[in-house]
Amino acid sequence: MDVAILGCGYVGLELGRQLTDRGHDAIGVRRSDDGIEAITEAGFEAVQADITDREALETVPDVDAIVFAASSGGRGAATAREVYVEGLRTAIEQFGERDASPERLVYTSSTGVLGDHDGDWVDEETPLEPTTEKTEVLAEAERVALELPPEYGFEGTVARYAGLYGPGRYRLERYLEGPVTEGYLNMVHRDDAAGAVRYLLEDDLARGEVVQVVDDEPVDKWTFADWLAEACGVDQPPKRTKADRLEDTGLSEAARRRILTSKRCSNEKLRDLGYDFVYPTYREGYRDAIDAYSTN
């Protein structure tokens, strides 16, 4: 199987490694010199191109599947729209118009599109209720990923990620030093975020569907912080309620909405499809980071 990973960053690099290790041909696409170097170091083919530029995408070879894993780099809604909506649309059209068009697309989204559910469980059938301009863009991109590919004879899948963590993104200090604001954490380790997409592609699953990619156990932030402190052998961090945090007059409206957003994301569908997690909960996923902290 030949797979082009458009926006081959944190998860894309791991996806390329996994695909290559299993005998597939991965092609990582990035715009920057540093991005191309990272793909080469990861051990698979690199193509330098702006994934929002139709002509630039012509340099990417024909493939069986495209994975759109681009990031807007934490910038605002306008940039997010340029990347996630217009960039995705451009990629689908550019590959779809080829004589040898792909068989499928996987678009990596975010559970942020589901909005606030007051701590209740949410799944793939939960109506989208984005609470910020950026998550509204992500919700629109999901619709593009599912509705546009059939016009070109292939199908799209949305892999909806929870909060990503893993090498380089454990953020121990945030939880060990505090203060920690109450709420739920929905997480997935980088290796499982990549592994789930690789699994859906290899086993040809979830065409035309949404799949939430999140581990087995959403956890209360205070519970997680106390567990992490004990595991690292330090004092429990200070805590604060949402009301305390919202007293900060410098918070943006988007930040306020994020603080108020609370839900627990189910991975029942992904489990039912047969995916076996490498790191089923934060307990396994944070072990390497804890060991590294303890030896410093």
Side-chain angles (χ1 to χ4, degrees), residues 126-144:
T126 302
L128 302 189
E129 296 180 10
T131 57
T132 68
E133 289 185 9
K134 187 168 183 178
T135 52
E136 287 175 359
V137 169
L138 293 174
E140 183 177 350
E142 286 196 6
R143 291 190 289 272
V144 171

Side-chain angles (χ1 to χ4, degrees), residues 204-282:
D204 198 20
L205 300 170
R207 285 175 176 258
E209 300 178 16
V210 177
V211 179
Q212 289 194 162
V213 182
V214 56
D215 70 19
D216 289 346
E217 190 175 335
V219 61
D220 174 83
K221 290 180 182 179
W222 290 357
T223 299
F224 172 72
D226 288 348
W227 171 84
L228 192 60
E230 181 178 359
C232 291
V234 300
D235 292 337
Q236 294 180 351
K239 317 290 195 308
R240 61 186 172 195
T241 65
K242 291 185 178 184
D244 292 336
R245 182 75 178 94
L246 291 170
E247 288 180 359
D248 183 352
T249 57
L251 286 175
S252 67
E253 182 58 31
R256 288 179 175 276
R257 290 179 181 178
R258 284 194 296 270
I259 292 166
L260 290 170
T261 297
S262 179
K263 56 183 175 288
R264 286 174 287 174
C265 299
S266 169
N267 70 1
E268 183 176 354
K269 180 173 181 176
L270 183 58
R271 281 292 197 182
D272 287 347
L273 288 169
Y275 181 69
D276 187 17
F277 280 80
V278 178
Y279 302 104
T281 77
Y282 61 89

Side-chain angles (χ1 to χ4, degrees), residues 6 29 47-51 53-62 90-91 94-95 97-98:
L6 307 183
V29 183
V47 173
Q48 190 162 15
D50 182 344
I51 62 171
D53 185 324
R54 176 185 290 269
E55 292 186 4
L57 285 175
E58 292 177 359
T59 62
V60 182
D62 293 342
T90 295
Q94 206 284 329
F95 280 90
E97 290 170 358
R98 298 183 180 194

Side-chain angles (χ1 to χ4, degrees), residues 58-224:
E58 292 177 359
T59 62
V60 182
D62 293 342
V63 289
D64 302 309
I66 52 177
V67 176
F68 194 92
S71 169
S72 63
R75 287 169 286 179
T79 301
R81 174 171 295 280
E82 180 182 355
V83 174
Y84 296 121
V85 176
E86 301 308 325
L88 176 60
R89 186 183 299 277
T90 295
I92 292 170
E93 293 172 349
Q94 206 284 329
F95 280 90
E97 290 170 358
R98 298 183 180 194
D99 292 336
S101 62
E103 296 178 6
R104 62 182 305 186
L105 157 84
V106 176
Y107 164 67
T108 61
S109 185
S110 165
T111 56
V113 299
L114 294 168
D116 177 39
H117 291 271
D118 198 25
D120 286 344
W121 286 94
V122 295
D123 61 18
E124 291 82 359
E125 302 304 316
T126 302
L128 302 189
E129 296 180 10
T131 57
T132 68
E133 289 185 9
K134 187 168 183 178
T135 52
E136 287 175 359
V137 169
L138 293 174
E140 183 177 350
E142 286 196 6
R143 291 190 289 272
V144 171
L146 295 174
E147 295 173 3
L148 187 57
E151 296 183 18
Y152 295 90
F154 62 103
E155 294 170 288
T157 297
V158 172
R160 189 182 286 160
Y161 287 155
L164 295 166
Y165 75 98
R169 292 197 184 184
Y170 289 108
R171 302 180 180 94
L172 290 185
E173 291 76 12
R174 173 189 296 183
Y175 296 103
L176 294 179
E177 297 174 4
V180 179
T181 304
E182 65 181 324
Y184 279 108
L185 284 172
N186 297 276
M187 296 187 287
V188 64
H189 192 283
R190 176 204 66 184
D191 293 5
D192 283 311
V197 171
R198 186 260 309 154
Y199 178 74
L200 295 176
L201 289 172
E202 284 187 323
D203 284 41
D204 198 20
L205 300 170
R207 285 175 176 258
E209 300 178 16
V210 177
V211 179
Q212 289 194 162
V213 182
V214 56
D215 70 19
D216 289 346
E217 190 175 335
V219 61
D220 174 83
K221 290 180 182 179
W222 290 357
T223 299
F224 172 72

